[in-house]
Amino acid sequence: RILMLGCRTSELGSELYDRGWQDITSIDCSVTCISWMREANAGLRPEMRWEVMDVRVLRFPASSFDIIMEKGTLDAVVNGGGVEALRCARAMLGEARRVLKLGGAL
């Protein structure tokens, strides 16, 4: 199982799917992005899942994913700098660690 953190409208998940990695869940905080990606992939990639979710509070059980990918999400989280940005980054990475299976890859 693969979790894509902060997917936005990236084609990375779709490209992985088309290469055989089909158990992919992509999340983003943007309702617009998730709606667009669901519509764009409906019928083409039926096993892909798209969910609106905050990367700091993942609604998945512990040890749910073998691989967690992020492509700029951490950079976006810490962009403003300061104490709050560090808290958000720690929350995001802590949640990623919690849902990653032992021996998994981030």
Side-chain angles (χ1 to χ4, degrees):
R1 289 188 71 193
I2 299 173
L3 175 62
M4 305 283 297
L5 294 176
C7 62
R8 305 305 281 175
T9 58
S10 171
E11 294 296 319
L12 179 58
S14 301
E15 291 171 11
L16 289 170
Y17 185 97
D18 293 344
R19 287 179 172 83
W21 299 81
Q22 297 184 337
D23 194 355
I24 301 172
T25 300
S26 296
I27 67 165
D28 200 276
C29 63
S30 169
V31 173
T32 302
C33 287
I34 293 298
S35 295
W36 191 88
M37 292 303 281
R38 279 181 183 149
E39 186 175 320
N41 289 282
L44 298 173
R45 299 173 183 93
E47 287 98 15
M48 280 188 85
R49 290 169 302 283
W50 306 90
E51 296 190 38
V52 176
M53 198 175 303
D54 185 331
V55 295
R56 299 168 300 171
V57 186
L58 300 177
R59 297 186 314 264
F60 301 110
S63 303
S64 295
F65 295 94
D66 302 292
I67 299 171
I68 298 178
M69 302 182 79
E70 74 88 21
K71 202 179 103 179
T73 305
L74 184 58
D75 188 46
V77 166
V78 298
N79 189 28
V83 175
E84 185 58 28
L86 289 175
R87 273 191 213 125
C88 290
R90 283 187 187 130
M92 174 187 153
L93 293 172
E95 280 293 274
R97 184 178 68 190
R98 182 183 67 76
V99 301
L100 186 65
K101 289 181 180 177
L102 184 63
L106 171 62

